[in-house]
Amino acid sequence: MVRQSRLRPSAARALVRAAIALILSHGASLALAQRAPVSPDHPWHGLGEARIEADARNFTEPGLSLDQEKTYSLPELIDLAESHNPETRVAWGRARGQAAAWGVARSELYPTVAAAALAGVDRDQAYLADRFFRHTIGDFEVVLNLNYTIFDFGARAGRINAAKAEALAANFAFNDTHRNVIYQVEQAYYQLLNAAGQEEAARANLSNAQAVQQAAEERLNHGLATLPDVLEARSATAQAEYELQAVLGVEEIAHGNLATALGTTPPIAIRVQPLQELTIPSSIDDTVNSAIGRALAQRPDLLQRVADVQAAKARAKEARAAYYPSLNFNASPTAQSLYGLQQQFPWGHTAGLTGSMAFSLNWTVFDGRARKNRLAQAEANVHEAEAQIHVSRDQIANEVWAAYSDLNTALRQREAATALLEATGRSYDAALESYNYGLRNLLDVTAAQRTLAQARSIDVLARTQVLTTLAALAFRAGDSIQSNAMRPRP
């Protein structure tokens, strides 16, 4: 005989209390994990924060391997950015998802077939005469269900056309992402070239300031200059050193901006083709009307607006079809096998093909004006999308006009900067020579040296500004993503 052990009442009560406490503490922890911050004056630190932080630390990005000894040109940098910038992958995933949505919509053109296998056993008691008889019935079925919409007055076509237009809009958005990434790389590249050029100008300015300081100290040693002259020269040298350090900081930031545009981290050093090796155009061979015409024909953001109009019209067609009936067909063939056993009788069996077939005509007679309001909403969306195209066209034309004007201005400024640099260089050389002969004072020399430094900086800025505005015009016209783009790439 097996004896069953029983808990004493006190032990049982303790066990129950412990279980209740465990349940309450677990529920309290879940509740606290989902609570909002209790006050706005302190940072929030929840129970799940550590896990999220660990996931963030362990998150890895696709690496971008750069040859530290290679000098990259702008086209090579653009190719790297288009392959590694995460913005292109985001847009690519969105476009692929929208293409899949189009496939889902097109699946409505085909019937749906579902299959099910059912098996079961039923046992009950049947009363007959003055006694009960037990019945056991085994059932096994294989069922197919076919549904197909024969016609719906354009509702499916509206959904399919809307999904198709939305897929095209996502593709144009993907192209526009490439256009923006290319422009980001160009801007970062020219920003880096300008910073590098400014560094060269600042170092040349420092060298000139040191030459003036040396000349002043030599004249002081020979009794031909005064101490204030030397102090003034030392001050100019210190100012040149300060400006050089500021330019070096800007250059470091430019390196980081270029690395970010490429899709990598800023600490990676990138060697790029210097400004001296680039061909800077002196004129533009395009007209503003031609650039505006290309922009209105090929800008992907404008084409996306056109696709939005097509999607809105398709949604209106779908809403209009709701006023009409839809005819559907349903067929459900069933292969059935039955086994039966009745008390005092042998097993029985039957098998056969059963099922049903039906046509259904569905027509909403009254819906509280829901169809009317949905159609009005869809038609309003069409008008909004069409108006947005006009807004975008006007904005694009103005952007191209502004970019074209900026390019012409940059070309004229480049000519003026070249003349300014040549004139200030001669002025500085003449002032320094005259000072060495005692014909000019130090203030004249330092003034000429500052003017030359400013002219060097302006010359670098003017050269990079031509390239920057040229890239901006290609960006506004949509030429940067065209294989046969007329935009020259240095």
Side-chain angles (χ1 to χ4, degrees), residues 292-444:
I292 291 176
R294 292 199 311 277
L296 297 180
Q298 65 188 20
R299 276 275 292 261
D301 51 345
L302 181 60
L303 298 178
Q304 181 183 356
R305 297 291 186 189
V306 177
D308 290 340
V309 171
Q310 294 180 357
K313 289 182 177 179
R315 295 298 182 190
K317 180 180 180 180
E318 178 188 359
R320 195 174 294 108
Y323 281 96
Y324 304 98
S326 62
L327 180 62
N328 300 284
F329 172 75
N330 177 266
S332 299
T334 304
Q336 187 177 46
S337 179
L338 295 174
Y339 295 87
L341 176 65
Q342 190 176 24
Q343 191 175 359
Q344 298 178 351
F345 292 95
W347 279 94
H349 171 258
T350 185
L353 182 64
T354 63
S356 63
M357 182 175 64
F359 291 90
S360 62
L361 184 68
N362 300 317
W363 194 2
T364 302
V365 179
F366 179 75
D367 59 359
R369 304 182 67 178
R371 289 173 295 179
K372 181 179 180 181
N373 289 322
R374 290 193 189 100
L375 179 58
Q377 181 184 17
E379 291 176 344
N381 291 339
V382 172
H383 296 316
E384 178 187 357
E386 290 176 342
Q388 188 61 51
I389 288 181
H390 294 290
V391 172
S392 298
R393 285 175 62 89
D394 294 341
Q395 182 179 359
I396 288 172
N398 183 62
E399 290 176 354
V400 174
W401 173 267
Y404 191 87
S405 300
D406 289 341
L407 178 56
N408 282 326
T409 301
L411 291 172
R412 293 192 296 266
Q413 287 180 330
R414 165 62 180 150
E415 295 179 359
T418 302
L420 176 63
L421 179 59
E422 183 180 357
T424 54
R426 292 181 178 179
S427 175
Y428 168 77
D429 293 338
L432 182 59
E433 184 178 3
S434 299
Y435 176 73
N436 290 329
Y437 286 111
L439 301 177
R440 302 284 293 272
N441 58 40
L442 184 65
L443 294 178
D444 295 335

Side-chain angles (χ1 to χ4, degrees), residues 203-288:
R203 292 189 182 279
N205 180 39
L206 177 60
S207 177
N208 292 341
Q210 291 172 344
V212 173
Q213 177 183 344
Q214 182 179 1
E217 290 178 348
E218 290 179 356
R219 289 179 61 82
L220 178 63
N221 294 334
H222 292 84
L224 300 176
T226 63
L227 180 61
D229 289 341
V230 175
L231 296 177
E232 179 69 22
R234 291 175 181 174
S235 176
T237 301
Q239 179 68 27
E241 179 67 32
Y242 173 83
E243 293 172 353
L244 174 60
Q245 296 305 318
V247 168
L248 291 176
V250 173
E251 188 175 4
E252 291 179 358
I253 295 175
H255 273 286
N257 292 339
L258 179 58
T260 302
L262 295 180
T264 185
T265 54
I268 295 180
I270 305 173
R271 296 180 60 181
V272 300
Q273 190 176 9
L275 183 61
Q276 292 79 4
E277 297 181 5
L278 303 184
T279 302
I280 301 177
S282 58
S283 63
I284 180 172
D285 298 330
D286 197 10
T287 64
V288 65

Side-chain angles (χ1 to χ4, degrees), residues 194 198 280 410-411 413-415 417-418 457-467:
N194 179 65
Q198 297 296 341
I280 301 177
L411 291 172
Q413 287 180 330
R414 165 62 180 150
E415 295 179 359
T418 302
S457 177
I458 292 175
D459 179 70
V460 173
L461 179 61
R463 284 186 288 165
T464 56
Q465 193 67 21
V466 170
L467 300 175

Side-chain angles (χ1 to χ4, degrees), residues 33-356:
Q34 299 176 0
R35 286 180 57 186
V38 295
S39 64
D41 54 346
H42 293 291
W44 176 81
H45 297 286
L47 296 178
E49 181 179 2
R51 186 169 186 177
I52 297 297
E53 291 177 350
D55 291 342
R57 287 191 298 268
N58 296 331
F59 185 80
T60 59
E61 297 183 3
L64 173 61
S65 86
L66 294 172
D67 188 353
Q68 302 298 324
E69 303 299 327
K70 177 180 175 58
T71 299
Y72 289 90
S73 64
L74 179 58
E76 291 173 328
L77 294 173
I78 289 175
D79 290 339
L80 289 174
E82 289 183 292
S83 301
H84 296 86
N85 193 302
E87 294 181 12
T88 60
R89 295 196 295 273
V90 171
W92 182 50
R94 190 177 296 114
R96 295 178 65 191
Q98 200 59 56
W102 180 22
V104 172
R106 292 181 70 250
S107 66
E108 294 189 47
L109 296 174
Y110 306 94
T112 60
V113 180
L118 308 174
V121 177
D122 237 357
R123 174 176 289 182
D124 59 359
Q125 299 285 342
Y127 184 73
L128 182 63
D130 59 348
R131 58 181 297 186
F132 287 91
F133 294 87
R134 186 174 62 192
H135 293 267
T136 301
I137 299 177
D139 184 8
F140 178 76
E141 298 180 359
V142 176
V143 183
L144 294 178
N145 185 271
L146 183 146
N147 284 286
Y148 182 63
T149 301
I150 298 177
F151 67 84
D152 56 4
F153 290 94
R156 284 178 302 181
R159 288 190 290 272
I160 293 172
N161 291 335
K164 177 181 179 181
E166 289 167 356
L168 291 174
N171 291 340
F172 290 129
F174 173 67
N175 294 343
D176 198 51
T177 299
H178 276 271
R179 184 176 71 99
N180 283 279
V181 167
I182 291 172
Y183 186 58
Q184 291 174 12
V185 174
E186 290 173 335
Q187 295 296 300
Y189 174 70
Y190 294 137
Q191 179 188 12
L192 179 57
L193 292 188
N194 179 65
Q198 297 296 341
E199 179 192 351
E200 291 183 8
R203 292 189 182 279
N205 180 39
L206 177 60
S207 177
N208 292 341
Q210 291 172 344
V212 173
Q213 177 183 344
Q214 182 179 1
E217 290 178 348
E218 290 179 356
R219 289 179 61 82
L220 178 63
N221 294 334
H222 292 84
L224 300 176
T226 63
L227 180 61
D229 289 341
V230 175
L231 296 177
E232 179 69 22
R234 291 175 181 174
S235 176
T237 301
Q239 179 68 27
E241 179 67 32
Y242 173 83
E243 293 172 353
L244 174 60
Q245 296 305 318
V247 168
L248 291 176
V250 173
E251 188 175 4
E252 291 179 358
I253 295 175
H255 273 286
N257 292 339
L258 179 58
T260 302
L262 295 180
T264 185
T265 54
I268 295 180
I270 305 173
R271 296 180 60 181
V272 300
Q273 190 176 9
L275 183 61
Q276 292 79 4
E277 297 181 5
L278 303 184
T279 302
I280 301 177
S282 58
S283 63
I284 180 172
D285 298 330
D286 197 10
T287 64
V288 65
N289 291 331
S290 176
I292 291 176
R294 292 199 311 277
L296 297 180
Q298 65 188 20
R299 276 275 292 261
D301 51 345
L302 181 60
L303 298 178
Q304 181 183 356
R305 297 291 186 189
V306 177
D308 290 340
V309 171
Q310 294 180 357
K313 289 182 177 179
R315 295 298 182 190
K317 180 180 180 180
E318 178 188 359
R320 195 174 294 108
Y323 281 96
Y324 304 98
S326 62
L327 180 62
N328 300 284
F329 172 75
N330 177 266
S332 299
T334 304
Q336 187 177 46
S337 179
L338 295 174
Y339 295 87
L341 176 65
Q342 190 176 24
Q343 191 175 359
Q344 298 178 351
F345 292 95
W347 279 94
H349 171 258
T350 185
L353 182 64
T354 63
S356 63

